[in-house]
Amino acid sequence: MARNREGLVLVLDVGPAMRSVLPDVEKACSMLLQKKLIYNKYDEVGIVVFGTEETGNELAREIGGYENVTVLRNIRVVDELAAEHVKQLPRGTVAGDFLDALIVGMDMLIKMYGNAHKGKKRMCLITNAACPTKDPFEGTKDDQVSTIAMKMAAEGIKMESIVMRSNLSGDAHERVIEENDHLLTLFSSNAIAKTVNVDSPLSLLGSLKTRRVAPVTLFRGDLEINPTMKIKVWVYKKVAEERLPTLKMYSDKAPPTDKFAKHEVKVDYDYKVTAESTEVIAPEERIKGFRYGPQVIPISPDQIETLKFKTDKGMKLLGFTEASNILRHYYMKDVNIVVPDPSKEKSVLAVSAIAREMKETNKVAIVRCVWRNGQGNVVVGVLTPNVSERDDTPDSFYFNVLPFAEDVREFPFPSFNKLPSSWKPDEQQQAVADNLVKMLDLAPSAEEEVLKPDLTPNPVLQRFYEYLELKSKSTDATLPPMDGTFKRLMEQDPELSSNNKSIMDTFRGSFEVKENPKLKKASKRLLRDKPSGSDDEDNRMITYDAKENKIDIVGDANPIQDFEAMISRRDKTDWTEKAITQMKNLIMKLVENCTDEGDKALECVLALRKGCVLEQEPKQFNEFLNHLFKLCQERNLSHLLEHFMSKKITLIPKSEAADRLVI
């Protein structure tokens, strides 16, 4: 077996106590094998079941014992038949002994690979651990488990135990469960083993790690504290997004009778001076060019190399700061973990000392990182201490990338604090909203967390794998209905809704819901024909269709529409300021050249006032209105003043902008 391949033995409990959950076990194991066919098609898989009435394994035939343990499939390369085997598990009739089954699985791995293998060997036990185990011929059960675990460690066999518990009751069950849990814990102490407890079909699907990802260091080098102190560290990716498998182009041009056709698609590019030319330009005759206006500026590879920013590999400490200064939403990209070089004892001690002191003083470290020599992008990140609770695991740091100034996005949404008091929720409404948010907490303090990330599978990926298996059997296969287990992830939890119906009803009754009238262009509501002092909600709220609002100047032809379109734009932060400034300039132009333009100037002032209320810019309007009033007095434009006063154009008061003082 090659180094990057795995030999896996599934050890499955099919006894009577597991009968109700066997369909979920079949589903989980089937998905495991489906992924292996996609990502690790050369892995080898064997299947052992225990709790069957019959016995079928080599140890029973050779030395006797090991009853009610059956080998459904010997270890061999994974194929479609393996997936079919786990979809039709036998229903056992007797209580099985998981220790006997583990010994049979371990014997299969040892006989198959021996000590000369270079790949990985693993056993996966799925049981409820609720049935008693037999007493050994010599010694105690603890001694037997220790012997098995030491043999597994010597052979390099890893073990993963998934314990799925149903509603068990009775003193006998409690004693048996307690003993079995103790035995499984001994495996973790003496071998490379871990135990995962699950209590639902969804958790079972997520607990079985269906894809093996080998840890690869992102960086190996020095963490420079100062020029005279450097610590050898390794950096790994801690989490990464799992994506759909890479799709490949498929060609159907091969003859149907050709069984060895690869159906590959190969793409070749030819470079020509013009489309009509038949002469192909050789690679050495081509050079990169960059557009600069209507021109294309050629730049040679040597010049490009000279212009590149040269960096040296390394991590350099810039300083420490309070953990409260680095907010959670500052984190960018995936999280990495920084561990000391395991071969350097002094590095382990240095990292431990720094991490523990940082935790005690509630500090984090800011570092500058370059993962490879010549890397063009330098990152600045934060190191958060990760103090281990186990003696055999060294202390480490979590690393998160921090944003530069160019990465920070300023959203031009007005603050709720700037809204009038009549628009703000009262204490009772705030309390109701708080209760609604608390209801949605998936990790309440008194209960176990719902949808744990490490036990929750991705429903999109699982649905893709299921459909891919169907398409492999029939090209005309249709999309199957959503599985009931995964539907719980995609839809609202009915139990959560029913238990908290009173909270939702109280929230619904505490707020008045108004229908938004739909106009011809439903996403646009114009600021027109509304008296300036009106309390009508339509006077204060406008929504626009951002796709249609590409106006960047307030023109003379349709100034009000242009102004409304500009203040609705959110692709930049300065559109509101530009719109207000341009509208004020247009109004001044209309007033200074006033002949019969009084009505148009009045409409523009009304639109400006409403826009300033909407965008919470009353100061700008109030200062402008005072200036306009003085200008009309100086130039003896009494007819305009009368015109404005007849429409009762006033300063923006506190009732419309509570955080501003009227000028």
Side-chain angles (χ1 to χ4, degrees):
M1 184 171 63
R3 186 182 300 275
N4 61 342
R5 298 179 190 174
E6 179 185 65
L8 170 66
V9 174
L10 294 172
V11 183
L12 309 177
D13 187 351
V14 296
M18 287 285 290
R19 187 161 296 179
S20 61
V21 297
L22 277 181
D24 301 311
V25 174
E26 293 171 340
K27 190 184 305 179
C29 295
S30 174
M31 289 181 177
L32 166 66
L33 299 182
Q34 288 170 12
K35 284 192 178 181
K36 281 190 174 293
L37 285 169
I38 297 172
Y39 296 106
N40 309 100
K41 61 182 179 181
Y42 297 112
D43 282 2
E44 298 172 338
V45 177
I47 304 172
V48 176
V49 296
F50 62 98
T52 56
E53 186 173 355
E54 64 278 1
T55 300
N57 61 80
E58 284 193 16
L59 286 179
R61 291 189 291 268
E62 292 174 358
I63 61 177
Y66 303 100
E67 299 174 349
N68 310 118
V69 180
T70 303
V71 177
L72 287 187
R73 172 189 168 94
N74 289 314
I75 301 174
R76 58 179 181 270
V77 175
V78 64
D79 53 19
E80 291 83 357
L81 292 177
E84 294 301 323
H85 271 119
V86 296
K87 285 183 178 180
Q88 301 174 359
L89 293 176
R91 269 44 179 176
T93 56
V94 299
D97 187 334
F98 71 85
L99 291 180
D100 282 352
L102 287 175
I103 294 174
V104 170
M106 181 176 65
D107 179 68
M108 291 171 61
L109 288 169
I110 293 173
K111 289 179 178 177
M112 182 70 182
Y113 302 116
N115 294 321
H117 83 289
K118 295 182 179 180
K120 300 176 179 63
K121 296 178 289 187
R122 181 166 67 105
M123 286 194 298
C124 181
L125 169 67
I126 302 180
T127 180
N128 59 6
C131 299
T133 55
K134 295 188 290 289
D135 293 323
F137 294 111
E138 296 181 357
T140 64
K141 293 181 181 180
D142 287 10
D143 297 333
Q144 182 186 22
V145 169
S146 298
T147 302
I148 298 172
M150 287 189 289
K151 182 64 175 177
M152 289 170 55
E155 296 290 337
I157 299 174
K158 296 181 180 180
M159 189 180 88
E160 181 181 4
S161 302
I162 299 174
V163 181
M164 188 171 185
R165 292 268 161 77
S166 302
N167 295 326
L168 301 175
S169 61
D171 295 338
H173 278 308
E174 290 181 3
R175 290 195 298 271
V176 170
I177 288 172
E178 184 178 350
E179 181 185 49
N180 288 342
D181 286 346
H182 169 69
L183 296 178
L184 291 173
T185 303
L186 286 179
F187 277 107
S188 302
S189 304
N190 296 278
I192 306 174
K194 68 175 182 178
T195 302
V196 180
N197 292 286
V198 299
D199 56 3
S200 68
L202 188 62
S203 299
L204 174 63
L205 293 172
S207 63
L208 190 59
K209 302 307 177 187
T210 52
R211 184 180 177 192
R212 188 181 70 255
V213 180
V216 178
T217 53
L218 180 67
F219 169 85
R220 293 192 184 192
D222 295 332
L223 170 57
E224 182 181 334
I225 306 300
N226 58 46
T228 59
M229 181 181 178
K230 299 179 181 180
I231 304 173
K232 295 290 184 183
V233 295
W234 293 0
V235 179
Y236 292 92
K237 274 188 174 294
K238 189 175 188 302
V239 293
E241 180 185 358
E242 185 176 4
R243 297 182 174 90
L244 291 171
T246 304
L247 300 178
K248 296 182 179 180
M249 298 294 292
Y250 177 86
S251 173
D252 59 356
K253 298 299 183 183
T257 55
D258 187 358
K259 297 182 179 180
F260 301 100
K262 295 183 178 180
H263 299 280
E264 293 180 352
V265 176
K266 186 178 179 181
V267 180
D268 291 325
Y269 293 94
D270 289 336
Y271 293 84
K272 302 177 181 179
V273 176
T274 61
E276 295 78 14
S277 175
T278 58
E279 183 180 356
V280 178
I281 301 174
E284 60 272 11
E285 297 176 347
R286 302 196 296 261
I287 188 173
K288 287 186 177 181
F290 297 87
R291 288 197 174 276
Y292 189 76
Q295 307 177 64
V296 176
I297 311 301
I299 299 181
S300 67
D302 293 338
Q303 292 172 328
I304 293 176
E305 189 65 29
T306 304
L307 291 170
K308 283 184 178 179
F309 176 59
K310 302 296 191 301
T311 56
D312 295 326
K313 171 183 173 182
M315 295 180 67
K316 184 175 182 179
L317 176 69
L318 301 181
F320 296 94
T321 185
E322 294 289 340
S324 58
N325 293 334
I326 307 298
L327 303 180
R328 176 65 181 83
H329 63 270
Y330 290 170
Y331 296 166
M332 302 177 66
K333 301 184 179 179
D334 300 326
V335 60
N336 298 333
I337 186 166
V338 181
V339 300
D341 187 337
S343 64
K344 308 290 184 183
E345 183 178 353
K346 291 184 177 179
S347 296
V348 175
L349 293 175
V351 168
S352 178
I354 296 174
R356 290 176 183 270
E357 182 64 20
M358 287 170 61
K359 185 173 183 180
E360 288 182 10
T361 57
N362 198 28
K363 302 279 188 180
V364 294
I366 309 299
V367 291
R368 173 188 183 273
C369 303
V370 178
W371 305 126
R372 299 180 304 276
N373 283 326
Q375 178 178 313
N377 56 324
V378 177
V379 296
V380 173
V382 58
L383 293 180
T384 306
N386 175 36
V387 177
S388 174
E389 297 179 354
R390 297 181 53 174
D391 296 335
D392 57 346
T393 304
D395 298 330
S396 57
F397 300 105
Y398 291 132
F399 174 84
N400 288 92
V401 177
L402 294 177
F404 290 101
E406 294 81 0
D407 300 318
V408 178
R409 294 167 177 81
E410 295 291 343
F411 295 105
F413 304 129
S415 171
F416 287 164
N417 294 329
K418 298 181 179 181
L419 297 176
S421 57
S422 59
W423 296 7
K424 298 179 182 178
D426 55 30
E427 292 184 3
Q428 187 268 339
Q429 290 174 325
Q430 186 64 55
V432 169
D434 291 343
N435 290 334
L436 180 69
V437 173
K438 292 176 182 177
M439 178 200 78
L440 301 174
D441 187 4
L442 293 178
S445 56
E447 302 176 16
E448 189 175 355
E449 181 180 0
V450 182
L451 300 180
K452 293 181 179 179
D454 54 343
L455 296 179
T456 304
N458 187 323
V460 175
L461 292 173
Q462 302 297 351
R463 187 157 169 77
F464 172 81
Y465 299 136
E466 181 184 12
Y467 183 54
L468 190 62
E469 183 191 21
L470 293 176
K471 290 286 285 185
S472 69
K473 298 174 182 177
S474 172
T475 55
D476 298 328
T478 58
L479 192 66
M482 173 69 73
D483 184 85
T485 304
F486 291 113
K487 191 176 289 187
R488 289 188 58 193
L489 287 175
M490 309 294 288
E491 298 179 352
Q492 186 178 11
D493 188 350
E495 183 178 352
L496 180 67
S497 301
S498 61
N499 293 341
N500 298 281
K501 186 176 184 300
S502 60
I503 297 177
M504 292 187 287
D505 290 342
T506 305
F507 179 84
R508 190 180 297 110
S510 299
F511 296 90
E512 182 182 359
V513 180
K514 293 183 179 180
E515 184 179 356
N516 185 10
K518 302 295 182 181
L519 303 179
K520 191 172 280 188
K521 290 185 177 178
S523 59
K524 185 178 290 187
R525 189 179 297 157
L526 301 180
L527 285 169
R528 271 197 220 136
D529 302 325
K530 297 289 182 183
S532 60
S534 173
D535 290 331
D536 192 343
E537 188 179 7
D538 288 353
N539 186 43
R540 298 179 180 177
M541 301 201 57
I542 312 171
T543 55
Y544 300 90
D545 187 355
K547 295 180 180 178
E548 297 180 6
N549 297 328
K550 297 303 179 184
I551 305 298
D552 56 5
I553 188 172
V554 177
D556 295 337
N558 299 297
I560 296 176
Q561 291 89 334
D562 295 345
F563 173 72
E564 291 166 350
M566 285 183 67
I567 64 172
S568 70
R569 292 187 64 170
R570 292 295 182 261
D571 49 339
K572 289 185 180 179
T573 59
D574 58 348
W575 283 120
T576 299
E577 184 69 27
K578 287 182 178 179
I580 293 174
T581 301
Q582 292 182 21
M583 180 58 93
K584 290 194 292 188
N585 293 338
L586 178 65
I587 293 171
M588 293 298 296
K589 178 182 175 183
L590 293 173
V591 171
E592 289 175 353
N593 301 324
C594 180
T595 53
D596 55 351
E597 296 286 346
D599 290 338
K600 189 171 184 180
L602 175 65
E603 291 178 1
C604 292
V605 172
L606 283 171
L608 177 62
R609 187 187 192 282
K610 295 168 186 175
C612 288
V613 171
L614 174 68
E615 298 297 330
Q616 293 294 297
E617 294 290 348
K619 185 177 179 181
Q620 291 208 48
F621 177 80
N622 291 346
E623 290 179 347
F624 174 73
L625 191 61
N626 282 329
H627 175 70
L628 186 62
F629 182 76
K630 292 177 181 178
L631 179 66
C632 291
Q633 286 183 326
E634 291 173 0
R635 301 198 177 184
N636 197 24
L637 300 176
S638 57
H639 63 289
L640 272 182
L641 288 175
E642 293 174 0
H643 210 50
F644 290 166
M645 293 175 65
S646 66
K647 293 297 184 180
K648 297 182 181 179
I649 299 177
T650 62
L651 299 175
I652 299 176
K654 288 184 179 181
S655 61
E656 294 182 75
D659 65 325
R660 304 280 186 173
L661 294 177
V662 177
I663 299 174

